[in-house]
Amino acid sequence: MIVLNSSDGATFEVEESVAVQSQTIKHMIEDNCADTSIPLPNVNGVTLARVLEYIKKHAEAKDDEEGLKSFDAEFVKVDQASLFEIILAANYLDIKGLLDLTCQTVADQIKDLTVEEVRAIFNIMNDFTPEEEAKLRNDHAWAFE
Amino acid sequence: MSEKSLKSSPPWSVLSLVANHLDPKTLIIASCVCKSWSICMSSDHLWKPICSTLYPSLCNLRAANLAVPYRRLYNLGCVSEKLRLQKPLKPHLSLDSIIFAIDVFNGNVCLSTTIKPGNQLVVDKSFLFHFDIDADLGNGHGDPSVAIEALDSLRVTWNVVLGGLRSVFTMMDCKVKGSFVLGQEGWFSQELPQSGCCSSGDASGLVADLRLGLRQSGGKGMVERISVGVLSILSWRYVCIDDALRYLQHFLLPC
């Protein structure tokens, strides 16, 4: 069993065979940095718990494609802020499947939207001048058809 | 699904990671959201694989100019593809705005003048620039007939006039080619000049074509039918009306 410490001091136990889905943790174990526990200062407790939920499920039900698909679909039904945290954690921990899943979810949210709609979802201020924006749109007219 | 309520922009690192999963169209839309997104979404590392997959030869242009971003090369590829598919623009002229004026001369004597407004021309079902016109007789030039022996010295002019007499283009001014067939039909043909602004080489590749059909009586012939058209030298077929109008507009309309 491996012990993981989140940034806010929470502790989690997980089997080594499951934990090595994270390339980062895998390398730390190989390099003998995992004597007592592995500190993960970039991931908070709540997020780490979710990540562990993902990798545990993907270890147990490895061959159940259908089951994993529906698990993944449910897994990403979280608020935006949490989704971003999971993306950052998946990137830091180098868990490819989780990173692809979460990034694709955000990507799917913004494709086929207009510029204004994207701004609305993320509450972004448009800091272009009208001329700058018009030039961008004109230069790439094919994207707006 | 996560509620689309107002939240804040993803952190830069999340944006970069998500950008790897976006298609070119979404990348462009995302670039227009705000300046920081624009920088993130135009990165070479994003556009290089996209550009090399779709337009590998354009990527080689970077050998000449390393500063060109991959996004710009991709954009060039897209725009050029669209241009290749573009159909020619509709002509600014229409048959309604032009008038044909066809004169038949015997030496310096004008035998007949036929004026035909474009909207009275009979258009064939293939929309070719080829029209059969009945000659105007009795338009005050005196005797419109000509002796059979003199047929081969007939001269024809075909002018196209822009309605309101705003401009004129002379399609042809020439004598008959060969001789009148059986004294009944004469063929007139003259190469058209190149239009200047968008033609290549020395020639327009077009020919003005006119046939006079005569009616004979008592050793004399009278012009009865006129057939006019514009032929392409390449295909030796009549061009379509739109192509002919696009040619004529160079001469009849101010550039």
Side-chain angles (χ1 to χ4, degrees):
Chain A
M1 289 299 264
I2 299 287
V3 177
L4 303 170
N5 286 327
S6 72
S7 59
D8 45 1
T11 317
F12 299 86
E13 267 196 351
V14 64
E15 294 199 13
E16 189 177 316
S17 56
V18 170
V20 296
Q21 282 181 58
S22 154
Q23 293 297 307
T24 308
I25 294 178
K26 180 164 183 272
H27 293 142
M28 282 189 190
I29 296 174
E30 286 165 356
D31 295 345
N32 285 320
C33 306
D35 296 348
T36 46
S37 61
I38 299 181
L40 299 172
N42 289 5
V43 189
N44 65 30
V46 170
T47 310
L48 188 51
R50 301 234 61 205
V51 170
L52 291 177
E53 205 188 304
Y54 176 91
I55 59 177
K56 278 181 186 160
K57 179 69 178 179
H58 276 251
E60 300 168 358
K62 214 161 32 168
D63 300 316
D64 175 14
E65 230 182 271
E66 280 302 312
L68 283 181
K69 258 171 78 169
S70 54
F71 170 82
D72 285 353
E74 286 304 308
F75 185 80
V76 291
K77 287 184 183 173
V78 292
D79 61 284
Q80 253 182 32
S82 306
L83 195 53
F84 298 159
E85 291 290 333
I86 300 174
I87 290 178
L88 291 172
N91 185 43
Y92 170 68
L93 293 170
D94 197 357
I95 306 172
K96 186 175 184 330
L98 182 56
L99 185 60
D100 285 347
L101 170 68
T102 45
C103 285
Q104 190 62 53
T105 304
V106 179
D108 291 343
Q109 282 175 16
I110 62 182
K111 61 182 221 193
D112 296 334
L113 291 184
T114 64
V115 177
E116 292 74 17
E117 284 166 345
V118 176
R119 287 186 190 134
I121 297 187
F122 298 109
N123 196 19
I124 298 176
M125 268 277 293
N126 175 14
D127 54 356
F128 284 120
T129 67
E131 294 78 27
E132 285 167 341
E133 193 178 335
K135 180 168 197 312
L136 259 178
R137 286 180 188 247
N138 286 336
D139 286 348
H140 305 95
W142 52 268
F144 294 92
E145 278 153 20
Chain B
M1 201 69 235
S2 59
E3 25 165 297
K4 286 190 164 65
S5 60
L6 301 183
K7 299 283 184 208
S8 58
S9 178
W12 179 274
S13 33
V14 170
L15 208 49
S16 312
L17 291 166
V18 171
N20 289 316
H21 292 257
L22 296 176
D23 59 288
K25 180 171 176 242
T26 312
L27 280 172
I28 296 294
I29 303 248
S31 308
C32 297
V33 165
C34 68
K35 288 183 179 173
S36 54
W37 277 51
S38 185
I39 298 172
C40 187
M41 304 294 166
S42 19
S43 143
D44 258 1
H45 96 266
L46 281 176
W47 287 95
K48 181 174 173 185
I50 295 174
C51 195
S52 359
T53 313
L54 285 172
Y55 304 114
S57 55
L58 285 187
C59 291
N60 296 335
L61 289 176
R62 274 171 64 95
N65 183 353
L66 276 176
V68 177
Y70 279 102
R71 186 178 79 170
R72 181 134 159 249
L73 290 173
Y74 180 85
N75 198 39
L76 284 175
C78 264
V79 169
S80 115
E81 240 179 64
K82 293 200 75 79
L83 285 175
R84 286 174 73 99
L85 298 173
Q86 201 173 316
K87 291 196 214 152
L89 299 170
K90 268 267 166 220
H92 299 302
L93 275 182
S94 65
L95 285 181
D96 291 344
S97 48
I98 59 176
I99 300 167
F100 288 172
I102 300 160
D103 297 310
V104 183
F105 292 89
N106 181 12
N108 286 331
V109 176
C110 183
L111 295 178
S112 76
T113 298
T114 302
I115 309 279
K116 191 76 171 177
N119 55 17
Q120 292 178 18
L121 292 170
V122 177
V123 174
D124 81 7
K125 59 179 174 341
S126 323
F127 295 98
L128 297 179
F129 198 81
H130 170 58
F131 308 100
D132 291 318
I133 303 170
D134 294 324
D136 275 343
L137 301 172
N139 50 8
H141 284 281
D143 182 8
S145 65
V146 58
I148 300 289
E149 312 78 58
L151 278 180
D152 289 347
S153 53
L154 282 185
R155 192 177 115 238
V156 142
T157 61
W158 172 20
N159 286 304
V160 178
V161 182
L162 184 60
L165 271 184
R166 281 176 284 162
S167 51
V168 173
F169 175 67
T170 302
M171 297 290 273
M172 78 165 41
D173 180 351
C174 67
K175 294 176 83 160
V176 71
K177 288 233 177 296
S179 58
F180 268 71
V181 177
L182 297 179
Q184 285 188 345
E185 193 174 89
W187 175 42
F188 299 76
S189 170
Q190 191 166 40
E191 213 172 299
L192 287 169
Q194 58 161 332
S195 61
C197 66
C198 47
S199 59
S200 59
D202 302 314
S204 63
L206 299 173
V207 160
D209 183 87
L210 186 150
R211 281 149 218 266
L212 284 185
L214 302 183
R215 179 161 48 93
Q216 278 198 41
S217 71
K220 284 184 161 199
M222 200 142 59
V223 177
E224 200 175 44
R225 298 173 322 279
I226 306 172
S227 172
V228 293
V230 172
L231 289 163
S232 152
I233 289 177
L234 281 174
S235 59
W236 212 247
R237 296 164 70 125
Y238 291 111
V239 301
C240 68
I241 293 179
D242 276 358
D243 281 345
L245 289 173
R246 267 187 288 267
Y247 173 79
L248 285 170
Q249 77 191 24
H250 290 295
F251 300 97
L252 291 175
L253 294 178
C255 238

